[in-house]
Structures are given as C-alpha cells and as structure tokens.
Amino acid sequence: MSESKRLLDTAARLIPGGVNSPVRAFRAVGGQPPFIARAEGARVWDVDGRSFVDFVGSWGPLVLGHAAGPVVAAIVDAAGRGTSYGAPTAGEVEMAEAVTAAFPSIEMVRLVSSGTEAAMSAIRVARGATGRDLLLKFDGCYHGHADSLLVKAGSGGATFGIPDSAGVPAALAALTLTAPFNDLDAVRDLFRARGGDIAAVIVEPVAGNMGVVPPAPGFLEGLREVTQAHGAVLIFDEVITGFRVAYGGAQERYGVQADLTCLGKIIGGGLPVGAYGGRRRLMERVAPLGPVYQAGTLSGNPLAVAAGLATLRALARDGAYDRLEALGARLERGLVDAAARAGVPATVNRVGSMLTGFFCDGPVRDYAGARRADTGRYARFFQAMLARGIALAPSQFEAAFVSLAHTEADLDLAIGAAAEAMAEAR
Ligand code: HOZ
C-alpha cells in the first residue's frame, strides 16, 4: 500500500473526507490525493517519492513557485523574532503601503487571515455603510464560505454540486440575489426592481472559481456604472487576481476601480492571509474608527506579512508580468493545439498566468457555459496527466496557475503530456 493511501485511510477516520478543504479530496476526478511531503520551484513531491510539475500552486498564492528563496528567508527571519504578537508591527504598515500603492482604489486596508474573512468583512462594511441588506453575486463565483456567499457558489460548490450549502439560514440566503456572470442586462433588471435595497455587488473581476472566465468587454464598466447610479458598493474579489493578472490586479488590467477590494493568496506568499480595503469613507466605518466590527487574533500575522512582502518585492521587478504572460500564452497555445490534434472539443480561457481548459466547444462566458464542459472527460484527462507527472486542479471548475518558477521546459513537458492525455481521455 502506498504511503499516501495509508495516510488517507487514517485521515478519513479523523478528518471529514480526510482533507481540510473539500476540493483536495479528488472526489470529482476519482482516485486518491497524493499526500505532499515537500515542494520546490515548480515541483511537488509526494510521500511516496513521486514528483509532479505543479499547476495548482496552492490554488493561487505561489506566483513565485514553491519555497522561493526570498520568501523562505523572510519567514525564517520573521519567525526568529516571534511568530505572533497580537500588536501592530512595522511590516503591517509596509504591507498597507504596498497594497495602497498598487491599487489606487484602496485608500485604507485591513489585514485578516483568509479570503473568506476578507469577503465576509467587505460585505459587512457595505451593509453598514449603506444601511441596506441585499447583496448581488454572480452564479459560479466563489467568495469563500461565509453564509451569505454560499449561494450559487463556484469552486467546491460547483465541484460537489452543493452551490447552496446546508446550514445557511434561508432568511440569510434570501438576502443574496444572483445573476449570470457577464450578463449586464440581468444586473440592470435587478437594480431596476430592487436597487434601493442593494448594499453591494460582489464579483470576481476575472472569475476563477467556475474555471477561468474573463469579463466580457464592458461588463466591469457596466457594474461600475450601475452601482454608482444606485448608491451601491462595488466589491471586487481579487483574492485570486490581485497581484496575479497584473501587479494592480484586475483593476489595473481592465481599468475599472472598485469601492472595496478583497485580497488574499499572493499577499501572504503562501501563508494564511487576507485583506479588504477601499475608499476611505467606507473603511473609516470599521472599528475602532466606526461601528462595523471585525477583529482577529492572527490578523496581520508577522510571518504571513513577511512572506507576502517578499513576494510583492519580487513581483515588482521589471518583466515579472511579461514573463507570466508569455508562459501563460505558451501553455494556452500548447493545450489548444493538443486538443485540436486529439479531435477533442475544448475551450481554453486564459487571463495572464491563470487558465482553464474546458472540455466543450466555446465560448465559455458564464457558469451555464462552464457547466456544459464534459466533467467525465476532465476526470480522465486529469488522471492521465497525473500519471505523467503533471498536477492540475482536481476539478474542471478551478484554475491552473503558472508561476515564475515554471520554465519553458516545464510547460513543454505539460503540453506533451496533454497531447497524450487528451487522446487517452477521448
Ligand atoms: N477555489 C478555491 C479557492 N479559491 C480552492 C481552495 C479551496 O477551497 O481549498
């Protein structure tokens, strides 16, 4: 029996599904997750000594790759000075400066410990500021697992067919309106009907949790316009896209500014972190300045902040995003060609270094489109790739991430494997 299998058997008795986050469980693709022993650069090694070129990247944070030298050094240095103080630090100030400099729409920022917390808190600020209760989100977008947001949710919600979680009070779910991603008319209709009650629109400006779906031209601009016209708060969930699709996130890439922004992943360099921030008039409502309460013992944790700052410094170097773009484009081209050669219907959606190959004819521009993908074929493809040493997300409804640690050779290995895996998955 493999060591991964032995660990999974034990884990399954002690941890729900044997995993600490459902998408890791491989339920959508079959088989068993390798238990990871170590990782470096673009590779991970499991406890059985197998190695994989990794396109999961811890689901987004590892834009520099695993165990990047400056990040590890920053963590070690910070840890030597204490792991948590529950008191303010210079690092938090530096992080606030870095975030506000990168995102002109963020005038004040609060650090938390996860993307879930960031989204949950941003919504509370929007409700507190507007005195309204309704929230509008998009089908297949995922903003963490807070009650109000587990409505038509992507990521694990899409993967496991539980987009509306049990345990969310119906009265609370009723406060969350939904519309199809990229459907501005549906948004306008909802605002016409209930605009005076809508506190906020929350959106992943590039959807990453139904697979990657870019915003249609004019969609983000339209959201900006309609929210402004109705006095609602526009929240961009840039937990994945922040510092990923551009240094200043989707807001820089598409030239549309949010009122509030949620960040996470990259700003923690692979350690648990989140942040929400935005207009001063909104953020001044947060305690202790204002009446919206939000707190956390480990918020702004010095290790996470040190890892995040080291990551941002590396990303700020010339050429980082050109390199990510070039690598992403190479992988996209390779996957498109491989699918064409195998005669497999596929649509590759990519924004910079995040991409998803959907097993269906295109275009995929919303959750209904993503759901047309052949998930059985994805599962077979996934297993065939894993067998060839390539680790993808174990679900059709997630993104693949390229990092600065990936080389052209890594990508060519993945593309070669994909050509074979597509033929096998046919
Ligand atoms: N799509 C999820 C985060 N954006 C994957 C991570 C998880 O749920 O464990």
Side-chain angles (χ1 to χ4, degrees):
M1 183 191 292
S2 74
E3 183 62 4
S4 281
K5 168 77 176 117
R6 197 190 63 72
L7 285 168
L8 184 64
D9 287 350
T10 306
R13 285 199 305 277
L14 305 172
I15 306 171
V19 292
N20 281 315
S21 196
V23 292
R24 299 175 194 174
F26 275 40
R27 293 279 163 101
V29 290
Q32 289 148 4
F35 278 59
I36 303 303
R38 69 186 176 91
E40 195 183 330
R43 282 195 174 261
V44 292
W45 283 261
D46 73 4
V47 289
D48 295 295
R50 298 184 301 166
S51 95
F52 305 92
V53 180
D54 181 31
F55 292 95
V56 182
S58 188
W59 306 86
L62 300 180
V63 68
L64 305 184
H66 292 276
V71 177
V72 173
I75 295 170
V76 168
D77 176 61
R81 288 180 281 113
T83 55
S84 182
Y85 317 118
T89 65
E92 291 165 279
V93 181
E94 200 184 328
M95 178 59 82
E97 285 171 340
V99 167
T100 53
F103 287 77
S105 69
I106 304 181
E107 292 167 328
M108 293 183 102
V109 63
R110 171 60 67 79
L111 295 183
V112 291
S113 296
S114 70
T116 291
E117 256 189 278
M120 181 183 90
S121 309
I123 286 162
R124 187 172 301 148
V125 171
R127 285 176 164 153
T130 57
R132 304 172 181 175
D133 288 342
L134 294 184
L135 177 71
L136 172 52
K137 77 174 280 291
F138 294 91
D139 304 347
C141 280
Y142 177 74
H143 308 285
H145 60 91
D147 282 348
S148 304
L149 292 163
L150 281 182
V151 178
K152 297 204 180 166
S155 189
T159 301
F160 303 112
I162 36 175
D164 307 291
S165 172
V168 174
L172 202 55
L175 297 177
T176 303
L177 311 174
T178 58
F181 189 74
N182 274 330
D183 187 343
L184 213 44
D185 288 340
V187 174
R188 291 204 177 102
D189 286 349
L190 284 167
F191 268 94
R192 253 192 299 277
R194 315 207 47 191
D197 300 323
I198 299 176
V201 172
I202 185 165
V203 66
E204 296 177 72
V206 175
N209 287 289
M210 55 178 109
V212 172
V213 181
F219 178 60
L220 299 177
E221 291 83 347
L223 294 182
R224 181 61 285 175
E225 227 172 78
V226 76
T227 46
Q228 207 139 24
H230 289 266
V233 176
L234 180 59
I235 305 173
F236 277 4
D237 179 344
E238 297 228 40
V239 168
I240 292 178
T241 54
F243 299 96
R244 162 70 64 180
V245 299
Y247 192 75
Q251 295 177 58
E252 177 184 324
R253 192 162 179 128
Y254 296 100
V256 178
Q257 298 208 348
D259 298 311
L260 290 176
T261 300
C262 306
L263 295 168
K265 303 215 191 245
I266 284 177
I267 61 163
L271 269 67
V273 93
Y276 65 100
R279 298 294 173 209
R280 189 172 299 280
R281 70 182 158 81
L282 293 170
M283 293 303 290
E284 280 182 345
R285 293 179 182 266
V286 177
L289 288 184
V292 176
Y293 199 72
Q294 175 275 311
T297 298
L298 293 173
S299 295
N301 174 265
L303 269 58
V305 166
L309 284 172
T311 303
L312 299 194
R313 275 182 218 117
L315 287 173
R317 279 201 207 106
D318 272 356
Y321 288 90
D322 292 342
R323 170 92 184 138
L324 287 169
E325 189 71 42
L327 290 172
R330 187 183 185 109
L331 185 57
E332 176 188 6
R333 263 195 320 273
L335 293 177
V336 169
D337 288 353
R341 275 205 305 279
V344 168
T347 302
V348 181
N349 279 356
R350 177 182 72 86
V351 177
S353 56
M354 54 190 280
L355 79 167
T356 297
F358 294 96
F359 282 115
C360 60
D361 287 320
V364 175
R365 34 173 293 130
D366 58 16
Y367 186 45
R371 293 233 56 115
R372 286 190 293 107
D374 182 341
T375 51
R377 180 172 274 159
Y378 183 83
R380 295 193 296 280
F381 173 70
F382 169 89
Q383 292 296 351
M385 291 293 274
L386 200 65
R388 289 167 174 79
I390 309 293
L392 299 172
S395 165
Q396 172 71 93
F397 306 112
E398 299 284 357
F401 295 103
V402 179
S403 76
L404 288 170
H406 285 93
T407 61
E408 279 79 1
D410 290 326
L411 300 188
D412 292 346
L413 208 65
I415 291 164
E420 294 174 12
M422 289 211 193
E424 202 171 303
R426 207 166 18 215

